[in-house]
């Protein structure tokens, strides 16, 4: 119902901000948006929403946030791309406090539905050693060997969600995000993921006139990237489904990082000399989403082509870059 209270934890971030925007656009009038960041640092901030700046590692804050809630979307996390999670494993694992306390508070508040944003980082590393990766099925999370730090936090909280459902009756739903990208996301500062990072580097090269780009790894590593609009279809659908197990939410358009750079260069109408930094954070060699289950459950799967989503992302980052560094150097 449009008057029921929807809570978005992590609303100051990329996906959380888009979720608040999505709910508002779809007529939901009673939204509580929460993030630890000051409002000035939120990626999207809306009037007519109960915006709260709170540290959700603390149980009492989670209780405040969940009070009276009908649905809770728990996306709050200390996270980022490989450049962040590889170098901040303890910080990433502390996010277990958020998931655990939000589950406790949601259960006490008798929340109807609880969504948890998990990640493809839960998947067993041994199944991601080749660029020619076999798309990951949900069962490939076990035997457990997730991404160090961040992946363990995600897998642990997945299991907490399951036990809170089985033991306490809290209706939890879980999506494993596969590298979500789009406008209003992190594009510099170290937490950015590859799509935004590569767009920024192409833009920087155009500004500077130095037509070269540093690529982490050898560029042969593969990923699939999901545009934010697909995420905004999938998250509410999974929340209101009977999908009790963690489910992939990603595209199966597998590309190499070199191909990602090709697309960004085409959008930016520039060709750059490529330098490969083999010492930079690389993550797994190959990762893709097997969408068999989501197709079975929802008769839908994410499918916005990377070329289409990256163009919108590039244009947005370009405008942000000009706003931050001035138009004078824009070429
Ligand atoms: N971030 C970044 N920046 N990655 C780069 C860059 C660059 O300038 N150049 C090349 N890459 C390569 C990375 O080395 C990695 O092999 C690939 O792009 C993707 O890096 P990423 O987007 O930072 O993160 P990953 O897909 O490896 O892992 C992310 O997966 C998400 C879920 O799919 C995680 O960092 C989390 O953000 C999340 O779990």
């Amino acid at each position: 119902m449009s008057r029921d209270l929807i809570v978005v934890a992590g609303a100051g971030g990329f996906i959380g901000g888009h979720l608040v925007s999505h709910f508002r656009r779809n007529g939901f009038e009673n939204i509580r948006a929460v993030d630890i960041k000051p409002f000035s640092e939120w990626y999207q901030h809306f009037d007519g929403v109960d915006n709260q700046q709170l540290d959700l590692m603390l149980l009492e804050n989670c209780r405040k946030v969940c009070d009276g809630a009908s649905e809770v979307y728990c996306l709050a996390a200390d996270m980022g791309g490989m450049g962040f999670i590889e170098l901040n494993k303890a910080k990433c694992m502390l996010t277990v406090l958020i998931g655990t306390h939000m589950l406790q508070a949601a259960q006490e508040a008798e929340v109807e539905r609880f969504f948890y944003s998990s990640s493809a980082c839960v998947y067993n590393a041994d199944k991601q050693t080749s660029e020619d990766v076999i798309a990951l099925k949900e069962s490939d999370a076990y035997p457990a060997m997730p991404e160090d730090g961040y992946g363990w936090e995600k897998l642990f909280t997945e299991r907490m969600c399951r036990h809170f459902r089985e033991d306490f009756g809290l209706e939890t739903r879980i999506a494993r995000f596969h590298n979500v990208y789009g406008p209003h996301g992190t594009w510099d500062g170290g937490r950015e993921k590859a799509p935004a990072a590569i767009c920024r580097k192409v833009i920087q090269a155009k500004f500077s006139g130095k037509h070269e780009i540093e690529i982490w790894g050898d560029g042969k590593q593969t990923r699939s990237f999901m545009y934010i609009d697909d995420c905004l279809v999938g998250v509410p659908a999974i929340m209101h489904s009977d999908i009790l197990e963690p489910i992939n939410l990603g595209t199966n358009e597998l590309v190499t990082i070199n191909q990602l750079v090709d697309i960004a260069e085409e959008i930016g109408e520039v060709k750059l000399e490529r330098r490969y930094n083999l010492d930079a954070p690389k993550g797994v060699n190959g990762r893709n989403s097997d969408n068999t289950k989501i197709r079975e459950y929802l008769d839908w799967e994410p499918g916005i082509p990377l070329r289409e989503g990256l163009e919108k992302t590039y244009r947005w980052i370009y405008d942000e870059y000009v706003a931050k560094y001035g138009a004078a150097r824009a070429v």
Side-chain angles (χ1 to χ4, degrees), residues 31-52:
I31 301 168
R32 181 173 292 154
V34 191
D35 204 285
I36 192 169
K37 297 191 288 286
F39 293 152
S40 59
E41 293 174 21
W42 288 28
Y43 292 167
Q44 299 184 76
H45 182 276
F46 300 98
D47 295 334
V49 168
D50 173 13
N51 295 304
Q52 298 197 19

Side-chain angles (χ1 to χ4, degrees), residues 5 7 11 15-16 24 32 74 76 165 172 271 273 278 280 288-289 301 310:
L5 175 59
V7 171
I15 301 172
R24 291 177 79 250
R32 181 173 292 154
C74 187
R165 180 168 49 74
T172 54
K271 282 303 282 176
E273 188 189 334
L278 302 181
N288 196 8
S289 179
E301 66 180 299
L310 202 69

Side-chain angles (χ1 to χ4, degrees), residues 30 35 39 52-53 86 95 128 141 173 181 203 230 250 258 261 263 272-273 288:
N30 194 3
D35 204 285
F39 293 152
Q52 298 197 19
Q53 180 194 350
E86 198 158 285
T95 299
Q128 304 175 81
R173 299 291 184 270
Y181 73 99
I203 293 163
D230 271 331
N258 277 325
V261 177
I263 297 172
L272 304 175
E273 188 189 334
N288 196 8

Side-chain angles (χ1 to χ4, degrees), residues 82-103:
M82 274 324 290
F84 180 80
I85 71 171
E86 198 158 285
L87 306 172
N88 294 277
K89 294 176 182 176
K91 264 187 173 180
C92 289
M93 289 207 78
L94 280 170
T95 299
V96 288
L97 293 173
I98 298 175
T100 302
H101 290 154
M102 282 298 286
L103 280 163

Side-chain angles (χ1 to χ4, degrees), residues 213-231:
I213 183 169
E214 181 193 80
I215 298 170
W216 295 358
D218 59 10
K220 298 188 181 80
Q221 65 268 44
T222 54
R223 293 291 188 278
S224 71
F225 298 105
M226 178 172 67
Y227 188 61
I228 185 64
D229 287 359
D230 271 331
C231 189

Side-chain angles (χ1 to χ4, degrees), residues 129-133 218 220-222 254 282 285-287:
T129 54
S130 162
E131 293 94 2
D132 303 324
V133 62
D218 59 10
K220 298 188 181 80
Q221 65 268 44
T222 54
L254 190 67
K282 188 179 165 196
N285 286 332
R287 176 181 288 156

